[in-house]
Amino acid sequence: TRGRKHGGCSIIGFQDVAQLREIYGADAAQVLTSSCSTWLLLRQSDPQTAALSSKALGTIEVAESSESITSTPSDWRDGYNVTKRRTTRPLVLDSELMHLPDLTGYLRQLGLPVVRVTLDLPKPAPVVSAFVRRNASDVKIQIEASPPPTTTLATTKPTPPIRDLAD
């Protein structure tokens, strides 16, 4: 957190918030996560981490309306009522974060709206070829006999007797 005033930027990657709390303690983990202004949140497997991520993405204010109809046996008391109220809810539910497809998540940048993103990563080139099954008769094993290891006994010199300093 001290490097931001000098233009420093750091990248933190973690799988679940319990890792941060175990390594740094609860207070330092809170400082680390709260100092990040850009978040890329992919699928969360831990409910506690999903709840933290949902809070980090923020809330949205929505207008909800509800309708009610009352009727009585006589026609003069029938009624229709519409009630509107404003409420806040999480922008992304923690359960939504736990069920995201692969390479799909949410990007939060300071001063910009939260957007859903899908990463399009190139497939890496194969480093080695796939497993090739060989016929056991094609394999030839050559075993060379090696001489037994030689051992030498170390000789020790007798230690001189300890003399008393008073002598």
Side-chain angles (χ1 to χ4, degrees):
T1 61
R2 297 179 193 159
R4 277 196 294 184
K5 64 183 172 188
H6 301 293
C9 177
S10 52
I11 297 172
I12 302 171
F14 60 94
Q15 291 179 337
D16 68 47
V17 73
Q19 287 176 328
L20 288 178
R21 290 182 180 144
E22 180 182 331
I23 295 169
Y24 299 105
D27 292 338
Q30 178 66 34
V31 170
L32 282 171
T33 56
S34 65
S35 64
C36 296
S37 59
T38 301
W39 287 59
L40 174 63
L41 300 165
L42 301 174
R43 183 176 49 235
Q44 312 281 311
S45 59
D46 174 50
Q48 190 178 20
T49 305
L52 172 80
S53 301
S54 177
K55 276 186 182 176
L57 291 175
T59 58
I60 187 169
E61 188 173 321
V62 293
E64 296 177 342
S65 61
S66 62
E67 300 176 9
S68 64
I69 299 173
T70 58
S71 61
T72 60
S74 63
D75 289 337
W76 66 278
R77 289 223 169 199
D78 289 348
Y80 176 77
N81 187 21
V82 176
T83 305
K84 292 184 180 181
R85 67 182 173 116
R86 298 183 73 75
T87 185
T88 58
R89 66 170 187 84
L91 182 63
V92 180
L93 297 173
D94 48 352
S95 60
E96 290 178 87
L97 289 168
M98 294 177 73
H99 295 94
L100 287 170
D102 289 346
L103 299 176
T104 300
Y106 291 90
L107 179 65
R108 184 198 85 177
Q109 292 179 295
L110 188 63
L112 297 173
V114 174
V115 293
R116 186 173 173 143
V117 295
T118 300
L119 303 177
D120 186 21
L121 300 178
K123 295 197 186 247
V127 178
V128 295
S129 60
F131 177 75
V132 178
R133 184 176 296 272
R134 294 189 180 172
N135 196 352
S137 63
D138 294 342
V139 178
K140 294 180 182 171
I141 299 174
Q142 183 177 2
I143 300 174
E144 293 183 18
S146 60
T150 59
T151 57
T152 58
L153 297 174
T155 59
T156 58
K157 294 181 182 176
T159 56
I162 299 175
R163 294 180 21 199
D164 189 7
L165 293 177
D167 291 340

